[in-house]
Amino acid sequence: MNTTSAAKRIFQQASFLISAQQLNQCPSDNGWEVAFAGRSNAGKSSALNALTNQKKLARTSKTPGRTQLINFFALDEERRLVDLPGYGYASVPLKVKEEWQRELAAYLETRQSLKGMILLMDVRHPLQPFDTMMLNWASEGQMPVHILLTKSDKLSHGVAKTALLQVQKAVKSYNNTVSLQLFSALKMSGLEELQTRLVDWLEIDLA
Ligand code: GDP
């Protein structure tokens, strides 16, 4: 089996583990995990679906009541993908929102098994306030970030490339490792690059 199909198989094994409303509900903090973050509508569910080849998986995180939760998906006993909530729930009272932001910050700051963050942004609207907030958090904790500029199929190749270079330039100032790529769940493009990043962070042995 070649590396690509071995990696593909591992992500297709993903299965829902638990939803956590608070830090103390997270699975025990050992092994490796990578968190996926993005504003709502950035294309996070579509990317998780494409990666895991499971439509049901990301739907789990969209179930009403679970959208404000940290959703954990197990790849094996030691490795997890983590779906962080997007910010789009205007109907949520401010108090709940603030409380939730504190839990999210605590998760990002204290989680030992968290090895990196995949930050998804619509390639046509990158670096919104939510995105810079996440980049700042990650930078403070010296956590590496890999940005997916999503829905790249919506732009011509040249325009998408220009957007990539602009974001690349803008994130140079962050005090941590930030890499980025174009991604389209619709065209399934950029999937191998994403898999390679995850295999590295999760220390998956493909041998
Ligand atoms: P989430 O809220 O971040 O989970 O975003 P979704 O994955 O639900 O996607 C939001 C919208 O963008 C949906 O209408 C998707 O069909 C669309 N979308 C997601 N990924 C792509 C993509 O790669 N290309 C295009 N053209 N549309 C996409």
Side-chain angles (χ1 to χ4, degrees), residues 8 47 50-51 181-183 188-196:
K8 221 164 148 182
L51 176 67
Q181 65 163 103
L182 294 168
F183 186 84
M188 300 291 262
S189 65
L191 206 51
E192 281 182 25
E193 203 175 336
L194 171 62
Q195 284 170 349
T196 302

Side-chain angles (χ1 to χ4, degrees), residues 95-164:
K95 196 162 164 275
V96 175
K97 211 162 162 174
E98 284 173 353
E99 193 180 316
W100 172 242
Q101 278 195 20
R102 270 198 300 278
E103 286 301 321
L104 188 57
Y107 166 78
L108 292 171
E109 281 160 18
T110 62
R111 192 79 174 163
Q112 293 297 312
S113 49
L114 184 60
K115 304 303 178 194
M117 184 197 295
I118 305 290
L119 181 57
L120 296 94
M121 310 175 193
D122 188 319
V123 67
R124 297 162 302 168
H125 316 286
L127 297 172
Q128 301 282 318
F130 170 81
D131 305 320
T132 49
M133 181 180 84
M134 295 310 267
L135 283 164
N136 283 328
W137 258 339
S139 174
E140 278 163 26
Q142 293 285 305
M143 188 193 300
V145 176
H146 184 65
I147 297 173
L148 296 189
L149 294 174
T150 61
K151 312 186 196 180
S152 63
D153 57 276
K154 296 248 190 194
L155 300 178
S156 71
H157 184 72
V159 177
K161 183 84 194 183
T162 304
L164 179 78

Side-chain angles (χ1 to χ4, degrees), residues 16-29:
F16 176 71
L17 192 60
I18 197 169
S19 291
Q21 177 88 55
Q22 290 168 345
L23 262 193
N24 62 10
Q25 294 166 342
C26 292
S28 61
D29 192 4

Side-chain angles (χ1 to χ4, degrees), residues 39-47 62 151-154 183-186:
R39 300 168 69 222
S40 54
N41 228 31
K44 183 153 55 78
S45 309
S46 305
K62 290 217 155 181
K151 312 186 196 180
S152 63
D153 57 276
K154 296 248 190 194
F183 186 84
S184 166
L186 186 76

